[in-house]
Amino acid sequence: MKPTVLIFPGYTGSGPQHWQSLWERDHPEYRRVQQRDWDYPVFHEWIAALDQAIREIHGPLVLVAHSLGCITIAHWTAQYFAHQPIRAALLVAPADLETNPIAAVDRHFLPIPLQPLPFPSTVVASTNDPSLSRERAEFFARSWKSRLITIGQAGHINTASGFGPWPQGEALLEEVLHGG
């Protein structure tokens, strides 16, 4: 059975030209976690929305998160994971709230969980992300037991950094979907 792709944007959501939104547009079978308010993340709401979205999917799934979505997945797995059929996760540009706080983000997102994730995962980072240093990307990947892929100078791997279509990301997702 082919896994369902569940997209989880970060702080402010992924606008219409963001790679996550473009992937969703090009693949109507992909699902997206919905939040009441993307601009003022409330910890318990974000966790509950992720949990609900996961429970609504029957069969295996692959998580594709960006920024604060990655941190929310780490929290969810630390608190609620109970052998859900998650095949893998692609975690792009995790938001390091500990060294680069976002005023609008609920303080309950801290501290960032560092337990190994209970499924295969890949952290994708850049060398000049204002929200995640290279050292912290390596630290998160090591802590979560994730494979780390560094894609060079790509900022926060979002629309502001020039990422609308992202063919390299789609290739990484294909690897994840096929167990690579």
Side-chain angles (χ1 to χ4, degrees):
M1 176 180 233
K2 185 176 178 183
T4 298
V5 173
L6 181 62
I7 294 174
F8 193 179
Y11 171 62
T12 72
S14 295
Q17 297 307 310
H18 190 283
W19 57 267
Q20 285 183 311
S21 298
L22 296 175
W23 290 6
E24 187 179 7
R25 182 198 68 203
D26 293 343
H27 301 275
E29 71 277 15
Y30 289 7
R31 307 258 183 95
R32 178 186 286 248
V33 175
Q34 297 299 325
Q35 296 295 344
R36 180 186 63 79
D37 192 339
W38 290 106
D39 295 332
Y40 295 95
V42 175
F43 178 77
H44 73 274
E45 291 179 2
W46 278 48
I47 294 287
L50 174 60
D51 191 57
Q52 179 179 343
I54 288 171
R55 291 180 186 279
E56 289 174 356
I57 295 170
H58 302 289
L61 74 126
V62 169
L63 303 170
V64 177
H66 182 256
S67 193
L68 187 58
C70 302
I71 303 309
T72 306
I73 287 171
H75 278 287
W76 178 84
T77 59
Q79 297 177 31
Y80 299 104
F81 180 79
H83 307 292
Q84 298 292 334
I86 297 173
R87 184 169 291 170
L90 184 63
L91 307 171
V92 180
D96 185 2
L97 301 173
E98 293 174 352
T99 59
N100 297 294
I102 301 169
V105 174
D106 181 343
R107 66 179 173 78
H108 292 97
F109 282 94
L110 297 174
I112 295 170
L114 299 174
Q115 297 91 332
L117 297 178
F119 40 78
S121 57
T122 300
V123 170
V124 180
S126 84
T127 57
N128 65 336
D129 187 339
S131 299
L132 179 69
S133 71
R134 184 178 188 155
E135 294 76 23
R136 290 289 284 181
E138 291 169 356
F139 175 69
F140 288 148
R142 207 171 34 253
S143 298
W144 295 337
K145 303 290 187 227
S146 301
R147 174 176 71 150
L148 175 64
I149 295 178
T150 305
I151 62 170
Q153 294 191 343
H156 193 50
I157 314 174
N158 60 4
T159 308
S161 302
F163 286 84
W166 184 30
Q168 181 184 13
E170 289 182 280
L172 290 171
L173 177 57
E174 281 300 313
E175 283 180 32
V176 168
L177 286 168
H178 295 97

